[in-house]
Amino acid sequence: MLFSQSSSSAPTPGVPTAKVGNDYEALTFEGKKTEECPLNGAMYPKSQKKWWEKHRPLGVMIENHEESRPQSGISFADVTYEAVAEGGITRMLNVYYCQDAGIVGPVRSARTYFLDFISEYGSYPLYAHVGGANTPGPANALGQISDYGWNQYNDLNQFSIGFPTFKRDNTRLGREVATEHTMYSVTTKLWEVGKKRGLTNKDDKEGDEWDDNFVKYTFKEDAAVDKRPESQAINVEYWNNSNYFVDWTYDKVENLYLRNNGGVEHLDRNTKKQLSTRNLVILFMTESHANDGYEDNAHMLYGTKGTGKALVFIDGKQTKATWKKSGREGRTKLTDASGEEIQFNRGKIWFEILATDGTVTVK
């Protein structure tokens, strides 16, 4: 059984623990929702805030190959970034802080542009992956991790951590899949590694709280039901492979966007529910190959720094926007045509990174 706990494991009084069974399940908290998640503005009980204030943001690389679906834990991420990793197949950086996800995966390798995004989350954000691009050149993610001073600290590379924090499960999807689609972890276990390395809400290297320089987005309340449109549909084409095209369908009543991938509902293996987001952002960025000598020139690069065009979908409406990011650690900021900062609804934010000539159809 994946990540099963011994029956002799006793929970600490007053501290919620993952439920024990065939799988680890996400921690649950009860109480009036009065506390704002700094990453996406969602509201949670005070007990949950006390829990999240003991750790720092955690980024986990989760693949999106057809053979990896349905993945585990994506729906619990506060923020998700999606971009092509190679061959038109997307990969996701899922950022966890205010929610526990239980099992996450399949976990895959690091890419340089995702390092730029996780770097927005304050001092030494935790970053979980299985190896990474390491060919000398601009796409050398493992070399960059070393250059940033992350090695053996906030970098949670499966190659250096191993079992039981990471574990292969060949049957989790109910069918046989290739080995590269079988690596899983558990968010509480990853945070525990960070804690052992001196990375809680503060870090041992500089003594800073993780959010000393973190730039929060601004949040608003949902539009009233009678102000929402009846429908909206967004189709995002990644390269020319329809198996990886993404469709987002607006749900007026719930005021969120439901995700289809490759023409079918995209589910979370943990919840058996369709993936969704409250806020959808499409960032148009320069897309190129690294030309680093890697097989089939597969390693990708994106112009994550600077400025460019964006589309923002909130409350069933589309806003043409501009994104700006000053540097690796700079926050990706979004403004509308009048220069005003975009205000997000409280809840999940999903960023789709698309080439500047990428195709987006809105109906």
Side-chain angles (χ1 to χ4, degrees), residues 50-78:
K50 290 180 180 178
W51 168 79
W52 79 54
E53 286 184 330
K54 295 178 181 178
H55 56 246
R56 60 187 48 226
L58 162 67
V60 181
M61 295 305 311
I62 297 180
E63 63 165 316
N64 193 34
H65 191 282
E66 287 178 279
E67 286 297 289
S68 71
R69 304 176 200 158
Q71 302 96 323
S72 297
I74 294 174
S75 59
F76 293 90
D78 302 315

Side-chain angles (χ1 to χ4, degrees), residues 6-12 17:
S6 167
S7 60
S8 63
S9 175
T12 302
T17 58

Side-chain angles (χ1 to χ4, degrees), residues 230-287:
E230 290 299 322
S231 64
Q232 185 181 54
I234 304 104
N235 172 259
V236 181
E237 295 188 10
Y238 279 105
W239 293 23
N240 60 352
N241 189 342
S242 61
N243 292 330
Y244 294 92
F245 288 0
V246 178
D247 292 288
W248 294 97
T249 303
Y250 179 63
D251 183 322
K252 175 182 178 179
V253 176
E254 299 297 330
N255 200 25
L256 51 72
Y257 295 86
L258 296 166
R259 178 182 169 100
N260 280 26
N261 209 168
V264 298
E265 289 187 1
H266 196 167
L267 305 179
D268 189 317
R269 174 67 175 74
N270 290 4
T271 64
K272 311 298 191 296
K273 295 181 180 179
Q274 189 173 6
L275 295 177
S276 64
T277 189
R278 305 276 290 170
N279 308 274
L280 175 64
V281 181
I282 299 174
L283 303 173
F284 293 95
M285 295 180 167
T286 57
E287 179 187 78

